Amino acid sequence: MNRLLIAVTLMFASAALAQTANDPSATLRKVLPTKVAEHVLATIADARSHSLPAAALEQQALRLARTGAKPADVEKSIDGSADNMKQAKGALEKNGRKPTNDEVVAGSKLIGRGVDGSKVSDFAQTAPSGRSLAVPLYVTGSLMDRGLKSDAALARVHTRLMQKATDRQLTAEANATASEKRPATANKEGGLAHRPATVGAMNRPGVTPPRPVTPGSKR
């Protein structure tokens, strides 16, 4: 009986240690100053209580801390992201929609870039019902990265949604937009597209063709 009790105790202890090792909050307490860690964890807990994607905030905090961001910058970033998530969730929930965590995160990225919540709400309300908006929202942000204004990017993606474009098609079209921004010389003579893959030895400047060798003669 005592052996069984000891075995069970050790099993639960091992499980607790494994959970602690994988617990983001424990790691954050190790890599951040105490006050900053407590503030960040409180912000994450508040996000979780409002059914926001708290796990995304945990990973963001860990990534920033591990890449050497200043503790104050980590705190500010998490506060901003949590606020953006709240706005995105509220915007996406209008008209009865129940956004997924991925949609909330994607919407928060746009709001963090200055896109008004009402624009996100309009986009969601007029999108085809039953369609996940996570990838479309991420693609919108990608188009903004490539120079489109937010209204133009939203309108472009929305049009393709109404045309029943798939997530893969939206992503491919966004990538095609990036390729359109190649240097102007890329398709001109002398540009990258017309540069020969190799230069023959006989065509290199300054190289004299070898003279034919007569049988029996010395070079």
Side-chain angles (χ1 to χ4, degrees):
M1 185 68 178
N2 289 336
R3 289 181 180 178
L4 178 61
L5 180 61
I6 292 172
V8 172
T9 302
L10 289 174
M11 181 181 69
F12 280 110
S14 298
L17 287 173
Q19 184 176 3
T20 301
N22 296 320
D23 182 9
S25 62
T27 304
L28 287 173
R29 286 192 175 93
K30 290 180 180 179
V31 298
L32 292 173
T34 302
K35 289 185 178 180
V36 174
E38 293 302 327
H39 178 92
V40 168
L41 291 172
T43 301
I44 293 172
D46 180 71
R48 185 174 285 109
S49 71
H50 288 88
S51 299
L52 294 171
L57 293 175
E58 289 175 337
Q59 294 306 313
Q60 179 182 338
L62 287 171
R63 183 176 65 254
L64 290 171
R66 286 170 174 167
T67 55
K70 295 179 180 179
D73 291 339
V74 176
E75 182 177 312
K76 182 178 180 181
S77 179
I78 296 303
D79 285 347
S81 293
D83 185 60
N84 292 338
M85 285 181 180
K86 289 180 183 178
Q87 293 185 54
K89 187 171 186 288
L92 292 168
E93 282 180 337
K94 288 187 176 180
N95 204 31
R97 186 183 187 91
K98 294 183 178 180
T100 64
N101 283 345
D102 288 341
E103 289 175 321
V104 171
V105 173
S108 72
K109 299 296 184 183
L110 290 184
I111 289 177
R113 297 188 50 146
V115 178
D116 192 87
S118 63
K119 301 287 185 180
V120 176
S121 181
D122 291 342
F123 182 89
Q125 288 184 48
T126 55
S129 60
R131 171 68 185 266
S132 171
L133 298 182
V135 170
L137 290 171
Y138 277 121
V139 168
T140 299
S142 178
L143 291 174
M144 290 172 64
D145 287 338
R146 289 154 187 172
L148 267 68
K149 300 294 185 182
S150 60
D151 287 351
L154 286 166
R156 177 168 169 174
V157 175
H158 185 271
T159 297
R160 294 296 288 129
L161 283 179
M162 300 307 292
Q163 295 170 347
K164 299 183 179 180
T166 65
D167 288 348
R168 180 173 294 183
Q169 287 174 323
L170 291 175
T171 303
E173 290 164 8
N175 290 335
T177 298
S179 67
E180 291 171 3
K181 296 184 178 296
R182 291 179 300 172
T185 58
N187 293 319
K188 294 182 180 180
E189 185 176 356
L192 295 175
H194 291 271
R195 186 171 59 191
T198 58
V199 179
M202 303 292 288
N203 296 324
R204 291 176 185 165
V207 176
T208 303
R211 290 180 297 175
V213 179
T214 304
S217 65
K218 296 183 179 179
R219 287 189 172 183

